[in-house]
Each structure stands twice: as C-alpha cells, then as structure tokens.
C-alpha cells in the first residue's frame, strides 16, 4: 500500500458540515483518517456597533479529509450519517490535485482559516497589500466594500467554485 496522503472532498448537505466532521473523527480509525477539516474564512461584521471577526465556511456543503487508504476510508464512511458522496468521476474517487492542495495551504495555512486581507483600489484595479489574497487578485470577480468581502472564482473539484473571503479596502484612488 502506498503511503501517499491524499486530500479528498466529500459533498454533504449544507448545514451538516460540522456534525459530519465530528462523526468522521469519532467513528473512523486514525490509521485511515489522518485529518478531517472544514476550511473557513474570516469576515468582519458590525454587531451592535462593534466590529467582530466571524468564521464562515469557505466551501459550504463540503468536508475535506486526508487519508492514505481511500478504499478503507470509503468503507468506513458508510458509518457516517448524512454523507452524500466523495467527489470523483463516476465510480472513481479523485483526490485533490497538487495545485488545489497548494492553493488551500497558501490560502488557509495549517489551520485552514483564510484571514482577512487588506488592499486598495486604484482606478479599476485591486491591489492587495496584505493577507492570503495577496498574489491572487486574478481570482477576484467582485468586491463588496460595505460587507468587506471579495467574491472569487477558483477552479476546484473539476469546476469553477464561487467563494467569498474577507477583504478590507482601506483606500480608493482614482
């Protein structure tokens, strides 16, 4: 058996991500399931006049798992209530590509939390000064300055995923 630790993605009903992650951690042997996690992003929101940083799901409806034994994992996942499916093509379960894993690591780090980014708008161009969005300006499709969010389109799971992350625009220059 090869000991390659692949990252896989499970599709679940939106809203059940946390409970499915807990079930996986509880019911699946550690030798089979190296890690089960949910990538988050930070969002700034004004609550009762105070700015708070909230954690929101980066990919609602998806749970990420790392395993070196997909066949065993597949069998043990049958114990998990509410799981819809592992992502793949037809009968084959496909791990995330190296690029996708690198993207997640660059974006969310070891903790898989995408921190707030900070940037400016110069004319019609967005320049990110700090945070995980730095160097990823090309993925930004829309910015909502009022909600302090950037809306991105990233190639994931064999198609384009729309995700949102926190972005504070500190200045707008004409």
């Amino acid at each position: 058996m090869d000991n390659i630790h692949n990252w896989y993605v499970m599709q679940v009903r939106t809203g059940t991500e946390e409970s499915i992650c807990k079930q996986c951690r509880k019911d699946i042997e550690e030798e089979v399931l190296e890690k089960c996690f949910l990538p988050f992003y930070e969002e700034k929101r004004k609550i009762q006049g105070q700015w708070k940083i909230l954690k929101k799901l980066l990919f609602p409806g998806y749970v990420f798992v790392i395993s070196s034994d997909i066949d065993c994992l597949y069998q043990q996942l049958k114990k998990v209530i509410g799981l819809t499916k592992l992502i793949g093509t037809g009968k084959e379960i496909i791990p995330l590509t190296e690029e996708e894993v690198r993207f997640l690591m660059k974006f969310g780090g070891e903790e898989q939390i995408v921190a707030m980014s900070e940037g400016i708008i110069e004319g019609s161009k967005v320049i990110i000064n700090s945070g995980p969005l730095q160097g990823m300006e090309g993925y930004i499709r829309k910015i909502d300055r009022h909600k302090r969010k950037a809306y991105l389109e990233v190639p994931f799971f064999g198609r384009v995923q729309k995700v949102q992350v926190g972005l504070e625009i500190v200045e707008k220059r004409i």
Side-chain angles (χ1 to χ4, degrees):
M1 184 179 89
D2 58 356
N3 249 351
I4 298 167
H5 301 277
N6 283 317
W7 293 36
Y8 297 93
V9 181
M10 298 184 285
Q11 201 168 16
V12 301
R13 214 170 55 249
T14 304
T16 63
E17 300 90 351
E18 299 267 1
S19 84
I20 289 194
C21 235
K22 277 190 191 114
Q23 280 185 71
C24 287
R25 289 185 193 122
K26 190 170 74 69
D27 297 340
I28 298 175
E29 297 161 22
E30 280 178 37
E31 304 81 65
V32 177
L33 182 70
E34 188 179 312
K35 191 175 179 186
C36 180
F37 64 96
L38 304 169
F40 287 94
Y41 72 93
E42 288 181 347
E43 163 182 288
K44 255 189 189 175
R45 201 177 271 172
K46 209 171 201 174
I47 300 169
Q48 296 169 341
Q50 302 244 322
W51 285 105
K52 304 236 188 267
I53 294 211
L54 306 175
K55 267 183 12 182
K56 300 285 212 148
L57 282 175
L58 188 61
F59 296 102
Y62 296 99
V63 173
F64 291 70
V65 291
I66 301 176
S67 177
S68 56
D69 188 346
I70 187 59
D71 297 325
C72 236
L73 177 67
Y74 183 74
Q75 288 309 312
Q76 293 198 21
L77 281 171
K78 292 180 178 171
K79 296 186 252 184
V80 177
I81 299 157
L83 176 70
T84 47
K85 65 178 181 190
L86 275 157
I87 297 216
T89 56
K91 290 246 177 273
E92 200 182 346
I93 297 157
I94 311 263
L96 290 181
T97 64
E98 275 181 48
E99 292 83 46
E100 290 170 328
V101 171
R102 263 199 305 275
F103 178 87
L104 282 171
M105 289 307 291
K106 179 183 185 314
F107 219 39
E110 204 53 51
E111 296 295 307
Q112 282 303 307
I113 298 170
V114 181
M116 287 286 297
S117 291
E118 207 170 84
I120 61 170
I121 296 176
E122 211 167 73
S124 62
K125 199 173 165 210
V126 178
I127 300 158
I128 306 297
N129 301 329
S130 66
L133 271 180
Q134 217 169 4
M136 299 200 175
E137 290 87 345
Y139 292 111
I140 299 173
R141 294 294 166 259
K142 187 179 136 198
I143 288 174
D144 185 330
R145 290 182 71 194
H146 182 70
K147 288 187 175 171
R148 291 169 169 74
K149 280 187 184 180
Y151 297 87
L152 317 178
E153 286 183 357
V154 291
F156 251 91
F157 325 136
R159 60 180 189 265
V160 172
Q161 291 287 326
K162 291 177 177 3
V163 295
Q164 45 191 301
V165 294
L167 172 62
E168 180 94 61
I169 297 292
V170 291
E171 188 182 346
K172 186 172 184 174
R173 301 178 191 151
I174 305 303

